[in-house]
């Protein structure tokens, strides 16, 4: 039984997901995930943070602690607590460490980083799937990413290949092209040559600055 999801569905009533999401200040996709109690993209129960629960509680006029109790009772991931020296960043979705798929998905939860780190740039979190970055980065791990258009040789980055695909890889730049390198020796590096008069198909989204493995 999905107590939190059932409660949200009851409170939404006849309103559409988009109308209810706008009321709460949360994406309609995430409201749908919470109602179902299952994230079909990651195959896991949804991440429920303090910030999201407070937004929903304010939107429907209930006590935040009541929603927190519902979330914990039905075995959602633990509710995060925010200290004065921490800030929330969005978990934007999943990124493969293997075959690239659709790049950035709707916000699926929140991670906490220090305010000191947050002052150094704009950050987001992504969930890795696929095995090409094993054993250092495992499927289901969360990476903290600082948005930036370039990285140093050897940095691990989130990159887009073409217009709609993203992947986590180690970046190696050469005078005639750029390579995306896996950690797993079972996967081959991919080289993208520079072509005169054409933009590189590889666009760097940001640098991976922290790895948070699964518990």
């Amino acid at each position: 039984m999905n107590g939190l999801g059932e409660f949200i569905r009851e409170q939404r009533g006849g309103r559409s997901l988009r109308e209810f999401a706008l009321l709460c200040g949360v994406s309609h996709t995430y409201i749908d995930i919470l109602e179902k109690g299952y994230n079909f993209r990651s195959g896991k129960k949804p991440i429920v943070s303090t910030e999201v629960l407070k937004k929903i509680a304010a939107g429907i006029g209930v006590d935040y602690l009541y929603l927190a109790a519902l979330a914990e009772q039905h075995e959602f991931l633990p509710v995060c607590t925010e200290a004065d020296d921490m800030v929330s960043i969005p978990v934007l979705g999943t990124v493969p460490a293997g075959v690239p798929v659709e790049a950035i998905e709707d916000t699926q939860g929140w991670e906490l980083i220090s305010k000191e780190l947050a002052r150094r740039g704009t950050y987001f979190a992504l969930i890795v799937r696929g095995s090409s970055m094993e054993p250092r980065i495992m499927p289901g791990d969360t990476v903290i990413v600082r948005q930036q258009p370039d990285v140093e040789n050897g940095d691990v980055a989130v990159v887009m290949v073409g217009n709609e695909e993203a992947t986590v890889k180690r970046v190696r730049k050469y005078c005639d092209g750029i390579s995306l390198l896996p950690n797993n020796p079972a996967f081959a590096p991919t080289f993208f040559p520079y072509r005169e008069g054409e933009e590189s198909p590889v666009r760097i989204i940001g640098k991976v600055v922290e790895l948070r493995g699964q518990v």
Side-chain angles (χ1 to χ4, degrees):
M1 183 179 295
N2 176 14
L4 178 62
E6 289 180 358
F7 181 77
I8 290 175
R9 189 180 299 109
E10 290 173 0
Q11 294 297 311
R12 181 163 66 86
R15 288 172 288 200
S16 70
L17 284 170
R18 290 183 183 275
E19 290 172 334
F20 187 77
L22 183 63
L23 175 69
C24 298
V26 180
S27 78
H28 72 278
T29 301
Y30 193 57
I31 292 295
D32 187 43
I33 288 172
L34 289 180
E35 285 192 1
K36 293 175 179 175
Y38 179 79
N39 186 339
F40 68 92
R41 286 169 171 160
S42 66
K44 301 177 181 179
K45 292 181 180 180
I47 299 170
V48 186
S49 73
T50 295
E51 184 170 338
V52 168
L53 289 176
K54 284 182 176 179
K55 285 182 178 181
I56 296 173
I60 60 181
V62 300
D63 188 344
Y64 146 72
L65 293 177
Y66 179 69
L67 295 186
L70 284 176
E72 292 176 336
Q73 177 183 348
H74 292 281
E75 297 181 349
F76 281 74
L77 294 181
V79 177
C80 298
T81 56
E82 296 190 41
D84 291 340
D85 59 347
M86 305 293 283
V87 297
S88 294
I89 60 172
V91 178
L92 294 182
T94 59
V95 164
V99 180
V101 294
E102 199 171 88
I104 306 297
E105 302 172 343
D106 289 341
T107 299
Q108 298 183 11
W110 304 87
E111 288 284 333
L112 296 177
I113 63 172
S114 68
K115 286 186 176 179
E116 179 182 358
L117 180 62
R119 283 192 288 267
R120 302 175 190 173
T122 301
Y123 294 82
F124 59 90
L126 290 167
I127 301 169
V128 175
R129 59 189 176 92
S131 57
S132 74
M133 295 304 283
E134 292 181 358
R136 183 68 183 93
I137 303 176
M138 303 295 290
D141 285 351
T142 298
V143 290
I144 307 300
V145 184
R146 181 174 60 235
Q147 294 186 40
Q148 56 187 72
D150 199 8
V151 294
E152 299 293 331
N153 264 337
D155 283 346
V156 176
V158 174
V159 301
M160 294 194 72
V161 180
N163 295 322
E164 297 182 350
E165 298 175 336
T167 187
V168 176
K169 287 292 186 294
R170 192 172 301 278
V171 173
R172 183 69 64 183
K173 294 179 284 186
Y174 302 94
C175 61
D176 59 343
I178 185 169
S179 282
L180 303 181
L181 308 175
N183 285 343
N184 189 337
F187 290 77
T190 306
F191 180 75
F192 297 88
Y194 297 138
R195 301 186 186 280
E196 187 175 353
E198 297 182 9
E199 292 186 1
S200 171
V202 176
R203 180 164 64 88
I204 296 170
I205 299 175
K207 177 182 177 180
V208 174
V209 298
E210 184 180 336
L211 169 64
R212 297 182 180 181
Q214 301 181 84
V215 178

